[in-house]
Each structure stands twice: as C-alpha cells, then as structure tokens.
Amino acid sequence: HDSEYQAFTRQGKSFVGIPLRSKGKTVGALVLLYVKPKSPTTEEREFFLSIGHQAGVVVENARLFAVFKNLANP
C-alpha cells in the first residue's frame, strides 16, 4: 500500500525473478524491476542465479540460527 512503491511498479517495463535457493529448496525470491524494456544477457542470468544461491544459503542459515537460538533459550 506504499504509494512510492505503487508508483514505481507502475513504471516497470521488465522484471527478473531470482529464486533464492538452498539445498535444492526455494526459500524466497528477489525481483528486479526495470523501468526500460530489457532482457538479461546469459552472463547476467548466470550472475543472478549465483546471487540467488548465495542469498538462499544466507536465508537458510539465518532460519536455522533462529531455530537453534529458540531451542537454547526456551
């Protein structure tokens, strides 16, 4: 419902969805919104997938840390 976000997304002409993956599971997604029409190059797609994998591992590690922290401090 953020008006700035709504205005920005209406300007979007292209977007790229990047899955955040860890251990073969999708744990989230990152979406890039372009204000001009654009198709990512092969190198950009590989880079985005690499970022998605690294970010997925970070998200999964943070989730596991929270689980263990809750187990240690009931």
Side-chain angles (χ1 to χ4, degrees):
H1 300 298
D2 183 349
S3 61
E4 282 185 39
Y5 173 79
Q6 295 296 326
F8 181 73
T9 56
R10 280 193 295 276
Q11 296 174 10
K13 303 296 183 209
S14 301
F15 73 93
V16 175
I18 303 168
L20 306 182
R21 296 188 52 85
S22 178
K23 300 178 185 173
K25 297 185 313 184
T26 301
V27 296
L30 179 64
V31 177
L32 302 179
L33 182 66
Y34 294 98
V35 294
K36 295 181 180 179
K38 177 169 176 41
S39 181
T41 66
T42 300
E43 292 82 14
E44 288 172 326
R45 286 192 299 268
E46 290 174 6
F47 179 67
F48 293 154
L49 288 173
S50 175
I51 289 173
H53 175 72
Q54 292 175 26
V57 170
V58 169
V59 168
E60 182 65 12
N61 286 345
R63 186 191 69 78
L64 290 173
F65 177 78
V67 167
F68 288 120
K69 184 177 176 185
N70 286 337
L71 289 174
N73 300 315

